[in-house]
Amino acid sequence: MKKVTLLFAVMATMMVSTAYAKDIRVVEISTGKGMSSNYDSTIQSILKTVSGVSKVVSDVANLVLTVTYDADKISVTDIVGHINKQEPRFEAKQKSEPKTKQWVKAEQKRDKAEQKVERERKEAQQRDQERKQQQNQDDRQDSKKDSKQSGDRQGGERQANNQGGRR
């Protein structure tokens, strides 16, 4: 009996957790015209009231919004329609296909890894360049020392020849 009760409790917990699971998605929405210095706050205030939208990040330079939303509550078409209804001058359009939040996180993780590799490559190139410059400086100093020593020896030989010639 205890096993049946425990099994029932586990199944009920699983059903409740799947009932509350959200289909979180991320989509990019491009905006055409109507950009202003108040762009970010305008978009934030427009989408703050929309049920299902959890996060909005705006890239004013590239005219792109990255919207995180619950696909079970709202669609991309509804989000775009809401923006265009509130502020038609933005001319919002869907730029990318919606992606799951896990996919976006994996993509960001991959991007960070690629950036790290690129940064390490550049640092290695810079170290190599600095090492070569140092080697060139050392070579120049060595050649100066060699020519000075060579000059000193020749000067000493001349002096010895001059003294030997006077006798």
Side-chain angles (χ1 to χ4, degrees), residues 60-111:
V60 178
N62 294 318
L63 307 175
V64 174
L65 302 172
T66 304
V67 181
T68 305
Y69 66 100
D70 183 351
D72 293 334
K73 292 184 178 180
I74 192 166
S75 70
V76 176
T77 308
D78 292 339
I79 295 169
V80 170
H82 193 75
I83 294 169
N84 287 329
K85 181 180 176 186
Q86 296 292 321
E87 284 291 338
R89 64 191 170 112
F90 287 140
E91 297 178 4
K93 296 176 191 153
Q94 181 176 341
K95 182 176 179 183
S96 68
E97 288 299 313
K99 300 169 186 152
T100 63
K101 195 159 187 168
Q102 291 81 7
W103 189 89
V104 171
K105 284 183 180 179
E107 188 177 60
Q108 289 171 340
K109 190 174 184 179
R110 187 190 75 235
D111 289 346

CSV table of all heavy atoms in Angstrom, one decimal, residues 60-111:
chain,number,residue,atom,x,y,z
A,60,VAL,N,19.4,49.5,-30.2
A,60,VAL,CA,19.0,50.7,-31.0
A,60,VAL,C,19.9,50.8,-32.3
A,60,VAL,O,19.4,51.2,-33.3
A,60,VAL,CB,19.1,52.0,-30.1
A,60,VAL,CG1,18.8,53.2,-30.9
A,60,VAL,CG2,18.2,51.9,-28.9
A,61,ALA,N,21.2,50.5,-32.1
A,61,ALA,CA,22.1,50.7,-33.3
A,61,ALA,C,21.7,49.8,-34.5
A,61,ALA,O,21.8,50.2,-35.6
A,61,ALA,CB,23.5,50.4,-32.9
A,62,ASN,N,21.2,48.6,-34.2
A,62,ASN,CA,20.9,47.6,-35.2
A,62,ASN,C,19.4,47.5,-35.5
A,62,ASN,O,18.9,46.7,-36.3
A,62,ASN,CB,21.4,46.2,-34.9
A,62,ASN,CG,22.9,46.2,-34.9
A,62,ASN,OD1,23.5,46.8,-35.8
A,62,ASN,ND2,23.5,45.6,-34.0
A,63,LEU,N,18.6,48.4,-34.8
A,63,LEU,CA,17.1,48.4,-34.9
A,63,LEU,C,16.5,47.0,-34.6
A,63,LEU,O,15.6,46.6,-35.4
A,63,LEU,CB,16.7,48.9,-36.3
A,63,LEU,CG,17.3,50.2,-36.7
A,63,LEU,CD1,16.9,50.5,-38.2
A,63,LEU,CD2,16.9,51.4,-35.8
A,64,VAL,N,16.9,46.4,-33.6
A,64,VAL,CA,16.5,45.0,-33.3
A,64,VAL,C,16.0,44.9,-31.8
A,64,VAL,O,16.7,45.4,-30.9
A,64,VAL,CB,17.6,44.0,-33.6
A,64,VAL,CG1,17.1,42.6,-33.1
A,64,VAL,CG2,17.9,44.0,-35.0
A,65,LEU,N,14.9,44.2,-31.6
A,65,LEU,CA,14.4,43.9,-30.3
A,65,LEU,C,14.6,42.4,-30.1
A,65,LEU,O,14.3,41.6,-31.0
A,65,LEU,CB,12.9,44.1,-30.1
A,65,LEU,CG,12.4,45.5,-30.4
A,65,LEU,CD1,10.9,45.5,-30.4
A,65,LEU,CD2,12.9,46.4,-29.3
A,66,THR,N,15.1,42.0,-28.9
A,66,THR,CA,15.2,40.5,-28.6
A,66,THR,C,14.2,40.3,-27.5
A,66,THR,O,14.3,40.9,-26.4
A,66,THR,CB,16.6,40.1,-28.1
A,66,THR,OG1,17.5,40.5,-29.2
A,66,THR,CG2,16.7,38.7,-27.9
A,67,VAL,N,13.1,39.6,-27.8
A,67,VAL,CA,12.0,39.4,-26.9
A,67,VAL,C,11.9,38.0,-26.4
A,67,VAL,O,11.9,37.0,-27.2
A,67,VAL,CB,10.6,39.8,-27.6
A,67,VAL,CG1,9.5,39.6,-26.7
A,67,VAL,CG2,10.7,41.2,-28.2
A,68,THR,N,11.9,37.8,-25.1
A,68,THR,CA,11.7,36.5,-24.4
A,68,THR,C,10.2,36.5,-24.0
A,68,THR,O,9.7,37.4,-23.4
A,68,THR,CB,12.6,36.4,-23.2
A,68,THR,OG1,14.0,36.7,-23.6
A,68,THR,CG2,12.5,35.0,-22.6
A,69,TYR,N,9.6,35.4,-24.4
A,69,TYR,CA,8.1,35.3,-24.2
A,69,TYR,C,7.7,33.8,-23.9
A,69,TYR,O,8.5,32.9,-24.2
A,69,TYR,CB,7.4,35.9,-25.3
A,69,TYR,CG,7.5,35.1,-26.6
A,69,TYR,CD1,6.5,34.2,-27.0
A,69,TYR,CD2,8.6,35.2,-27.4
A,69,TYR,CE1,6.7,33.4,-28.2
A,69,TYR,CE2,8.8,34.5,-28.6
A,69,TYR,CZ,7.8,33.6,-29.0
A,69,TYR,OH,7.9,32.8,-30.1
A,70,ASP,N,6.5,33.6,-23.4
A,70,ASP,CA,6.0,32.3,-23.2
A,70,ASP,C,5.1,32.0,-24.4
A,70,ASP,O,4.0,32.6,-24.5
A,70,ASP,CB,5.2,32.3,-21.9
A,70,ASP,CG,4.6,30.9,-21.5
A,70,ASP,OD1,4.7,30.0,-22.3
A,70,ASP,OD2,4.1,30.8,-20.4
A,71,ALA,N,5.5,31.0,-25.2
A,71,ALA,CA,4.7,30.7,-26.4
A,71,ALA,C,3.4,30.1,-26.1
A,71,ALA,O,2.5,30.1,-27.0
A,71,ALA,CB,5.6,29.8,-27.3
A,72,ASP,N,3.2,29.6,-24.9
A,72,ASP,CA,1.9,29.1,-24.5
A,72,ASP,C,0.9,30.2,-24.3
A,72,ASP,O,-0.4,30.0,-24.4
A,72,ASP,CB,1.9,28.3,-23.2
A,72,ASP,CG,2.7,27.0,-23.5
A,72,ASP,OD1,2.8,26.5,-24.6
A,72,ASP,OD2,3.3,26.5,-22.5
A,73,LYS,N,1.3,31.4,-24.0
A,73,LYS,CA,0.5,32.6,-23.7
A,73,LYS,C,0.3,33.5,-24.9
A,73,LYS,O,-0.7,34.2,-25.0
A,73,LYS,CB,1.0,33.4,-22.5
A,73,LYS,CG,0.9,32.6,-21.2
A,73,LYS,CD,1.3,33.4,-20.1
A,73,LYS,CE,1.2,32.7,-18.8
A,73,LYS,NZ,1.6,33.5,-17.6
A,74,ILE,N,1.4,33.7,-25.7
A,74,ILE,CA,1.3,34.7,-26.8
A,74,ILE,C,2.2,34.2,-27.9
A,74,ILE,O,3.2,33.5,-27.7
A,74,ILE,CB,1.8,36.1,-26.3
A,74,ILE,CG1,1.5,37.2,-27.3
A,74,ILE,CG2,3.3,36.1,-25.9
A,74,ILE,CD1,1.6,38.6,-26.7
A,75,SER,N,1.8,34.7,-29.1
A,75,SER,CA,2.6,34.3,-30.3
A,75,SER,C,3.5,35.5,-30.8
A,75,SER,O,3.2,36.6,-30.4
A,75,SER,CB,1.7,33.9,-31.5
A,75,SER,OG,1.0,35.0,-31.9
A,76,VAL,N,4.4,35.2,-31.6
A,76,VAL,CA,5.3,36.3,-32.2
A,76,VAL,C,4.4,37.3,-33.0
A,76,VAL,O,4.6,38.5,-32.9
A,76,VAL,CB,6.4,35.7,-33.1
A,76,VAL,CG1,7.2,36.8,-33.7
A,76,VAL,CG2,7.3,34.8,-32.3
A,77,THR,N,3.5,36.8,-33.7
A,77,THR,CA,2.6,37.6,-34.5
A,77,THR,C,1.8,38.6,-33.6
A,77,THR,O,1.7,39.8,-33.9
A,77,THR,CB,1.6,36.8,-35.3
A,77,THR,OG1,2.3,35.8,-36.0
A,77,THR,CG2,0.7,37.6,-36.2
A,78,ASP,N,1.4,38.1,-32.4
A,78,ASP,CA,0.7,39.0,-31.5
A,78,ASP,C,1.6,40.0,-30.9
A,78,ASP,O,1.2,41.2,-30.7
A,78,ASP,CB,0.1,38.1,-30.3
A,78,ASP,CG,-1.1,37.2,-30.8
A,78,ASP,OD1,-1.7,37.5,-31.9
A,78,ASP,OD2,-1.4,36.3,-30.1
A,79,ILE,N,2.8,39.7,-30.6
A,79,ILE,CA,3.8,40.6,-30.1
A,79,ILE,C,4.0,41.7,-31.1
A,79,ILE,O,4.0,42.9,-30.8
A,79,ILE,CB,5.1,40.0,-29.7
A,79,ILE,CG1,4.9,39.0,-28.5
A,79,ILE,CG2,6.2,41.0,-29.3
A,79,ILE,CD1,6.0,38.1,-28.2
A,80,VAL,N,4.3,41.3,-32.4
A,80,VAL,CA,4.6,42.3,-33.4
A,80,VAL,C,3.3,43.2,-33.7
A,80,VAL,O,3.4,44.4,-33.8
A,80,VAL,CB,5.0,41.6,-34.7
A,80,VAL,CG1,5.0,42.5,-35.9
A,80,VAL,CG2,6.3,40.9,-34.6
A,81,GLY,N,2.2,42.5,-33.7
A,81,GLY,CA,0.9,43.3,-33.9
A,81,GLY,C,0.7,44.3,-32.8
A,81,GLY,O,0.2,45.4,-33.0
A,82,HIS,N,1.0,43.9,-31.5
A,82,HIS,CA,0.9,44.8,-30.4
A,82,HIS,C,1.8,46.0,-30.5
A,82,HIS,O,1.4,47.2,-30.3
A,82,HIS,CB,1.1,44.1,-29.1
A,82,HIS,CG,0.7,44.8,-27.9
A,82,HIS,ND1,-0.7,44.9,-27.5
A,82,HIS,CD2,1.4,45.5,-27.0
A,82,HIS,CE1,-0.8,45.6,-26.4
A,82,HIS,NE2,0.5,46.0,-26.1
A,83,ILE,N,3.0,45.8,-30.9
A,83,ILE,CA,4.0,46.9,-31.1
A,83,ILE,C,3.5,47.8,-32.2
A,83,ILE,O,3.4,49.1,-32.0
A,83,ILE,CB,5.4,46.4,-31.5
A,83,ILE,CG1,6.0,45.6,-30.3
A,83,ILE,CG2,6.3,47.6,-31.8
A,83,ILE,CD1,7.3,44.9,-30.6
A,84,ASN,N,3.1,47.3,-33.3
A,84,ASN,CA,2.6,48.1,-34.5
A,84,ASN,C,1.3,48.8,-34.2
A,84,ASN,O,1.1,49.9,-34.7
A,84,ASN,CB,2.5,47.2,-35.7
A,84,ASN,CG,3.8,46.9,-36.3
A,84,ASN,OD1,4.8,47.6,-36.2
A,84,ASN,ND2,3.9,45.7,-36.9
A,85,LYS,N,0.5,48.2,-33.3
A,85,LYS,CA,-0.8,48.9,-33.0
A,85,LYS,C,-0.5,50.1,-32.1
A,85,LYS,O,-1.1,51.1,-32.2
A,85,LYS,CB,-1.7,47.9,-32.2
A,85,LYS,CG,-3.0,48.4,-31.8
A,85,LYS,CD,-3.9,47.4,-31.1
A,85,LYS,CE,-5.2,48.0,-30.6
A,85,LYS,NZ,-5.9,47.0,-29.8
A,86,GLN,N,0.4,49.9,-31.1
A,86,GLN,CA,0.7,51.0,-30.2
A,86,GLN,C,1.6,52.0,-30.8
A,86,GLN,O,1.4,53.2,-30.5
A,86,GLN,CB,1.4,50.4,-28.9
A,86,GLN,CG,0.6,49.4,-28.1
A,86,GLN,CD,-0.5,50.1,-27.4
A,86,GLN,OE1,-0.4,51.2,-26.9
A,86,GLN,NE2,-1.7,49.5,-27.4
A,87,GLU,N,2.6,51.6,-31.6
A,87,GLU,CA,3.5,52.6,-32.2
A,87,GLU,C,3.7,52.2,-33.7
A,87,GLU,O,4.7,51.5,-34.0
A,87,GLU,CB,4.8,52.6,-31.5
A,87,GLU,CG,4.8,53.4,-30.2
A,87,GLU,CD,4.6,54.9,-30.3
A,87,GLU,OE1,4.9,55.4,-31.4
A,87,GLU,OE2,4.2,55.5,-29.4
A,88,PRO,N,2.8,52.5,-34.6
A,88,PRO,CA,3.0,52.1,-36.0
A,88,PRO,C,4.3,52.6,-36.6
A,88,PRO,O,4.8,52.0,-37.6
A,88,PRO,CB,1.8,52.7,-36.7
A,88,PRO,CG,0.9,53.2,-35.6
A,88,PRO,CD,1.6,53.3,-34.4
A,89,ARG,N,4.8,53.7,-36.1
A,89,ARG,CA,6.1,54.3,-36.7
A,89,ARG,C,7.3,53.3,-36.6
A,89,ARG,O,8.2,53.5,-37.3
A,89,ARG,CB,6.4,55.6,-36.1
A,89,ARG,CG,6.7,55.6,-34.6
A,89,ARG,CD,6.8,57.0,-34.0
A,89,ARG,NE,6.9,56.9,-32.6
A,89,ARG,CZ,7.9,57.2,-31.9
A,89,ARG,NH1,9.0,57.7,-32.5
A,89,ARG,NH2,8.0,57.1,-30.6
A,90,PHE,N,7.2,52.3,-35.7
A,90,PHE,CA,8.3,51.4,-35.5
A,90,PHE,C,8.4,50.4,-36.6
A,90,PHE,O,9.4,49.8,-36.9
A,90,PHE,CB,8.3,50.7,-34.2
A,90,PHE,CG,8.6,51.6,-33.0
A,90,PHE,CD1,8.0,51.5,-31.8
A,90,PHE,CD2,9.7,52.5,-33.1
A,90,PHE,CE1,8.3,52.3,-30.7
A,90,PHE,CE2,10.0,53.3,-32.0
A,90,PHE,CZ,9.3,53.2,-30.8
A,91,GLU,N,7.3,50.1,-37.3
A,91,GLU,CA,7.2,49.2,-38.4
A,91,GLU,C,7.9,47.8,-38.0
A,91,GLU,O,8.8,47.3,-38.7
A,91,GLU,CB,7.8,49.7,-39.7
A,91,GLU,CG,7.2,50.9,-40.2
A,91,GLU,CD,7.8,51.5,-41.5
A,91,GLU,OE1,8.8,50.9,-42.0
A,91,GLU,OE2,7.4,52.6,-41.9
A,92,ALA,N,7.4,47.3,-36.9
A,92,ALA,CA,8.0,46.0,-36.4
A,92,ALA,C,7.7,44.8,-37.3
A,92,ALA,O,6.6,44.7,-37.8
A,92,ALA,CB,7.5,45.8,-35.0
A,93,LYS,N,8.7,44.0,-37.5
A,93,LYS,CA,8.6,42.7,-38.3
A,93,LYS,C,9.4,41.7,-37.6
A,93,LYS,O,10.5,42.0,-37.0
A,93,LYS,CB,9.1,43.0,-39.7
A,93,LYS,CG,8.4,43.9,-40.5
A,93,LYS,CD,9.0,44.1,-41.8
A,93,LYS,CE,8.4,45.3,-42.5
A,93,LYS,NZ,9.3,46.0,-43.4
A,94,GLN,N,9.0,40.4,-37.7
A,94,GLN,CA,9.7,39.3,-37.2
A,94,GLN,C,11.0,39.2,-38.0
A,94,GLN,O,11.0,39.1,-39.2
A,94,GLN,CB,8.9,38.0,-37.2
A,94,GLN,CG,9.6,36.8,-36.7
A,94,GLN,CD,8.7,35.6,-36.7
A,94,GLN,OE1,7.5,35.7,-36.8
A,94,GLN,NE2,9.3,34.4,-36.6
A,95,LYS,N,12.2,39.1,-37.3
A,95,LYS,CA,13.5,39.0,-38.0
A,95,LYS,C,14.0,37.6,-38.0
A,95,LYS,O,14.6,37.2,-39.0
A,95,LYS,CB,14.5,39.9,-37.3
A,95,LYS,CG,15.8,39.9,-38.0
A,95,LYS,CD,16.8,40.9,-37.3
A,95,LYS,CE,18.1,40.8,-38.0
A,95,LYS,NZ,19.1,41.7,-37.4
A,96,SER,N,13.8,36.9,-36.9
A,96,SER,CA,14.3,35.5,-36.8
A,96,SER,C,13.2,34.6,-36.4
A,96,SER,O,12.2,35.0,-35.9
A,96,SER,CB,15.5,35.4,-35.9
A,96,SER,OG,15.0,35.6,-34.5
A,97,GLU,N,13.5,33.3,-36.6
A,97,GLU,CA,12.5,32.3,-36.1
A,97,GLU,C,12.7,32.2,-34.6
A,97,GLU,O,13.8,32.3,-34.1
A,97,GLU,CB,12.8,30.9,-36.7
A,97,GLU,CG,12.5,30.8,-38.2
A,97,GLU,CD,11.0,31.1,-38.5
A,97,GLU,OE1,10.1,30.4,-37.8
A,97,GLU,OE2,10.7,31.8,-39.4
A,98,PRO,N,11.6,31.9,-33.9
A,98,PRO,CA,11.7,31.8,-32.4
A,98,PRO,C,12.6,30.6,-32.1
A,98,PRO,O,12.6,29.6,-32.7
A,98,PRO,CB,10.2,31.5,-32.0
A,98,PRO,CG,9.4,32.0,-33.1
A,98,PRO,CD,10.2,31.9,-34.4
A,99,LYS,N,13.3,30.8,-31.0
A,99,LYS,CA,14.2,29.8,-30.5
A,99,LYS,C,13.9,29.5,-29.1
A,99,LYS,O,13.5,30.4,-28.4
A,99,LYS,CB,15.7,30.2,-30.7
A,99,LYS,CG,16.1,30.6,-32.1
A,99,LYS,CD,17.4,31.3,-32.1
A,99,LYS,CE,17.6,31.7,-33.6
A,99,LYS,NZ,18.5,32.9,-33.7
A,100,THR,N,14.1,28.3,-28.6
A,100,THR,CA,13.9,28.0,-27.2
A,100,THR,C,15.0,28.7,-26.4
A,100,THR,O,16.1,29.0,-26.9
A,100,THR,CB,14.0,26.5,-26.9
A,100,THR,OG1,15.3,26.0,-27.3
A,100,THR,CG2,12.9,25.7,-27.7
A,101,LYS,N,14.7,28.9,-25.2
A,101,LYS,CA,15.6,29.6,-24.3
A,101,LYS,C,16.9,28.8,-24.1
A,101,LYS,O,18.0,29.3,-24.0
A,101,LYS,CB,15.0,29.9,-22.9
A,101,LYS,CG,15.7,30.9,-22.1
A,101,LYS,CD,14.9,31.5,-21.1
A,101,LYS,CE,15.6,32.7,-20.5
A,101,LYS,NZ,14.8,33.5,-19.6
A,102,GLN,N,16.7,27.4,-24.1
A,102,GLN,CA,17.9,26.5,-23.9
A,102,GLN,C,18.8,26.7,-25.1
A,102,GLN,O,20.0,26.7,-25.0
A,102,GLN,CB,17.4,25.1,-23.7
A,102,GLN,CG,16.8,24.8,-22.4
A,102,GLN,CD,15.3,25.2,-22.4
A,102,GLN,OE1,14.7,25.5,-23.5
A,102,GLN,NE2,14.6,25.1,-21.3
A,103,TRP,N,18.2,26.8,-26.3
A,103,TRP,CA,19.0,26.9,-27.5
A,103,TRP,C,19.8,28.2,-27.5
A,103,TRP,O,20.9,28.3,-27.9
A,103,TRP,CB,18.1,26.9,-28.8
A,103,TRP,CG,18.8,26.8,-30.1
A,103,TRP,CD1,19.2,25.7,-30.7
A,103,TRP,CD2,19.2,27.9,-30.8
A,103,TRP,NE1,19.9,26.0,-31.8
A,103,TRP,CE2,19.9,27.4,-32.0
A,103,TRP,CE3,19.1,29.3,-30.7
A,103,TRP,CZ2,20.5,28.2,-32.9
A,103,TRP,CZ3,19.7,30.1,-31.7
A,103,TRP,CH2,20.3,29.5,-32.8
A,104,VAL,N,19.1,29.3,-27.1
A,104,VAL,CA,19.8,30.6,-27.0
A,104,VAL,C,20.9,30.5,-26.0
A,104,VAL,O,22.0,31.0,-26.3
A,104,VAL,CB,18.7,31.7,-26.6
A,104,VAL,CG1,19.4,33.0,-26.3
A,104,VAL,CG2,17.7,31.9,-27.7
A,105,LYS,N,20.7,29.9,-24.8
A,105,LYS,CA,21.8,29.8,-23.9
A,105,LYS,C,22.9,29.0,-24.4
A,105,LYS,O,24.1,29.3,-24.2
A,105,LYS,CB,21.2,29.1,-22.6
A,105,LYS,CG,20.4,30.1,-21.7
A,105,LYS,CD,20.0,29.4,-20.4
A,105,LYS,CE,19.1,30.3,-19.6
A,105,LYS,NZ,18.7,29.7,-18.4
A,106,ALA,N,22.6,27.9,-25.1
A,106,ALA,CA,23.7,27.1,-25.7
A,106,ALA,C,24.5,27.9,-26.8
A,106,ALA,O,25.7,27.9,-26.9
A,106,ALA,CB,23.1,25.8,-26.4
A,107,GLU,N,23.7,28.7,-27.5
A,107,GLU,CA,24.3,29.6,-28.6
A,107,GLU,C,25.2,30.6,-27.9
A,107,GLU,O,26.4,30.9,-28.4
A,107,GLU,CB,23.3,30.2,-29.4
A,107,GLU,CG,23.8,31.0,-30.6
A,107,GLU,CD,22.6,31.6,-31.4
A,107,GLU,OE1,21.9,32.4,-30.9
A,107,GLU,OE2,22.6,31.2,-32.6
A,108,GLN,N,24.8,31.2,-26.8
A,108,GLN,CA,25.6,32.2,-26.1
A,108,GLN,C,26.8,31.6,-25.5
A,108,GLN,O,27.9,32.2,-25.5
A,108,GLN,CB,24.7,32.9,-25.0
A,108,GLN,CG,23.7,33.8,-25.5
A,108,GLN,CD,22.7,34.2,-24.4
A,108,GLN,OE1,22.6,33.6,-23.3
A,108,GLN,NE2,22.0,35.3,-24.7
A,109,LYS,N,26.7,30.3,-25.0
A,109,LYS,CA,27.8,29.6,-24.4
A,109,LYS,C,28.8,29.4,-25.5
A,109,LYS,O,30.0,29.5,-25.3
A,109,LYS,CB,27.3,28.3,-23.8
A,109,LYS,CG,28.4,27.6,-23.0
A,109,LYS,CD,27.7,26.4,-22.3
A,109,LYS,CE,28.7,25.7,-21.4
A,109,LYS,NZ,28.1,24.6,-20.7
A,110,ARG,N,28.4,28.9,-26.7
A,110,ARG,CA,29.3,28.7,-27.8
A,110,ARG,C,30.0,30.0,-28.3
A,110,ARG,O,31.2,30.0,-28.5
A,110,ARG,CB,28.5,28.1,-29.0
A,110,ARG,CG,29.4,27.6,-30.1
A,110,ARG,CD,28.6,27.3,-31.4
A,110,ARG,NE,28.2,28.5,-32.0
A,110,ARG,CZ,27.0,28.8,-32.3
A,110,ARG,NH1,26.0,28.0,-32.1
A,110,ARG,NH2,26.7,30.0,-32.9
A,111,ASP,N,29.2,31.1,-28.3
A,111,ASP,CA,29.8,32.3,-28.7
A,111,ASP,C,30.9,32.8,-27.7
A,111,ASP,O,31.9,33.3,-28.1
A,111,ASP,CB,28.7,33.4,-28.8
A,111,ASP,CG,27.8,33.2,-30.0
A,111,ASP,OD1,28.1,32.5,-30.9
A,111,ASP,OD2,26.7,33.9,-30.0
